[in-house]
């Protein structure tokens, strides 16, 4: 099964910055460590960078015993850590419901949402997005022996469909494909809703490709793709509207990581960590 992992698109520059800490980042990437002489703490110590996420979305963010940052690990965690490190900041992770992330960014409760978040016009009304760093699409997770769901259209054939509340998959199933509202079940986490496919309560779950593959793999289910029905989606990092200082820092690190192939390497590493077979 071919995946979209290799389609990591090229993008541009940039960096980080807590909204609370106005660092004067006059051009030097390397945080100084051997001097306290600076008159702003921020120039030697960028302070805390608060990343909001929903850590139930492997391989992008998940909870594990020995996480890269506390109990958290995944592609997004590694990217965010690099953004913090390169700016001499400490990454702090706030795990919350996905549905609350946009509000948390726009009210400044968190500095950035790094959550495999797809850029959408609706979200762009409330937050600013970084350059994109990953291309995905929706897939259908069904029982391994399922033979009657081959395309997204088949979902309209009186199938019971699960989605995660507030994910793009929810909008697509509800609005684009137009599955009857009575046949849609919404949960807060992919892990939970996929159980209902396993136990036969639902026919399919529509969710992002990488996460769907990881969940299928872990639960003995299979993934059905329909690239004609499911457009590609681009993941990006969300910051508060107008926070160009942080956005520039983020974009700078993303550009470096894309140019060096590091994001692709992270995808390979974390895919294998969560059991996704290419
Ligand atoms: N890409 C989808 C969206 O933006 C799902 C993201 C879910 N991310 C998460 N960390 N739970 O709606």
């Amino acid at each position: 099964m071919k995946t979209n992992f290799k389609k990591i698109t090229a993008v541009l520059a940039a960096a980080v910055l807590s909204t609370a800490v106005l660092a004067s980042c006059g051009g030097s990437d390397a945080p100084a460590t051997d001097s306290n002489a600076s008159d702003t703490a921020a120039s030697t110590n960028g302070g805390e960078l608060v990343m909001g996420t929903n850590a139930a979305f492997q391989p992008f963010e998940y909870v594990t015993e020995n996480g890269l940052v506390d109990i958290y690990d995944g592609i997004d965690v590694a990217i965010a850590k690099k953004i913090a490190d390169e700016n001499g900041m400490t990454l702090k992770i706030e795990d919350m419901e996905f549905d609350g992330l946009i509000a948390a960014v726009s009210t400044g409760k968190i500095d950035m949402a790094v959550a495999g978040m797809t850029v959408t016009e609706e979200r762009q009304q409330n937050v600013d997005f970084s350059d994109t760093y990953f291309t995905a699409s929706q897939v259908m997770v069904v029982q391994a022996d399922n033979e009657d769901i081959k395309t997204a259209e088949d979902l309209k054939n009186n199938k019971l469909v699960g989605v995660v509340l507030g994910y793009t998959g929810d909008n697509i199933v509800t609005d684009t494909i137009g599955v009857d509202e009575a046949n849609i079940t919404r949960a807060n986490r992919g892990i939970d809703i996929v159980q209902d496919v396993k136990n036969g309560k639902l026919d399919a779950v529509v969710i992002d490709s990488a996460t769907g593959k990881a969940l299928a793999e872990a639960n003995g289910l299979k993934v059905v793709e329909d690239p004609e029905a499911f457009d590609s989606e681009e993941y990006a990092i969300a910051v508060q509207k107008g926070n160009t200082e942080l956005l520039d820092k983020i974009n700078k690190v993303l550009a470096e990581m894309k140019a060096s192939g590091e994001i692709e390497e992270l995808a390979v590493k974390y895919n294998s960590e969560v059991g996704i077979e290419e």
Side-chain angles (χ1 to χ4, degrees), residues 12-231:
L12 295 179
V16 177
L17 175 62
S18 161
T19 48
V21 182
L22 292 178
S24 68
C25 298
S28 162
D29 294 338
T33 52
D34 58 350
S35 164
N36 295 322
S38 166
D39 52 8
T40 63
S43 61
T44 51
N45 173 8
E48 203 168 69
L49 178 65
V50 183
M51 155 183 172
T53 195
N54 168 259
F57 196 66
Q58 49 182 354
F60 290 89
E61 41 266 335
Y62 55 95
V63 170
T64 180
E65 239 163 66
N66 276 319
L68 184 62
V69 177
D70 309 322
I71 53 167
Y72 303 105
D73 214 337
I75 299 167
D76 283 340
V77 176
I79 292 172
K81 181 157 188 329
K82 182 131 187 173
I83 294 168
D85 286 351
E86 286 208 7
N87 289 280
M89 303 173 90
T90 306
L91 184 67
K92 188 173 167 229
I93 297 182
E94 300 261 355
D95 189 8
M96 53 183 79
E97 274 179 16
F98 184 79
D99 218 19
L101 282 170
I102 294 286
V105 170
S106 61
T107 58
K109 190 169 174 283
I110 56 176
D111 297 315
M112 56 181 189
V114 194
M117 187 179 277
T118 304
V119 178
T120 68
E121 276 177 24
E122 196 188 341
R123 291 171 182 164
Q124 275 171 324
Q125 290 173 7
N126 296 300
V127 294
D128 286 343
F129 279 104
S130 71
D131 296 326
T132 60
Y133 62 89
F134 198 86
T135 303
S137 74
Q138 301 296 308
V139 297
M140 297 172 282
V141 179
V142 301
Q143 283 193 349
D145 59 358
N146 181 295
E147 286 301 332
D148 48 323
I149 297 176
K150 301 250 189 269
T151 68
E153 272 298 298
D154 293 334
L155 297 177
K156 289 207 283 193
N157 206 2
N158 229 2
K159 299 297 179 212
L160 301 176
V161 184
V163 295
V164 184
L165 190 69
Y167 282 19
T168 40
D170 183 355
N171 299 333
I172 291 165
V173 166
T174 309
D175 303 330
T176 316
I177 304 174
V179 172
D180 192 345
E181 184 62 31
N183 289 341
I184 302 175
T185 301
R186 296 185 176 82
N188 275 319
R189 307 190 315 161
I191 295 172
D192 303 328
I193 193 91
V194 154
Q195 297 311 314
D196 285 345
V197 174
K198 201 174 175 177
N199 64 32
K201 283 193 200 146
L202 295 177
D203 297 300
V205 160
V206 174
I207 194 164
D208 298 54
S209 37
T211 306
K213 281 172 190 165
L215 290 171
E217 191 66 36
N219 289 285
L221 303 169
K222 79 174 174 191
V223 155
V224 177
E225 299 179 81
D226 182 354
E228 285 187 10
F230 300 119
D231 288 341

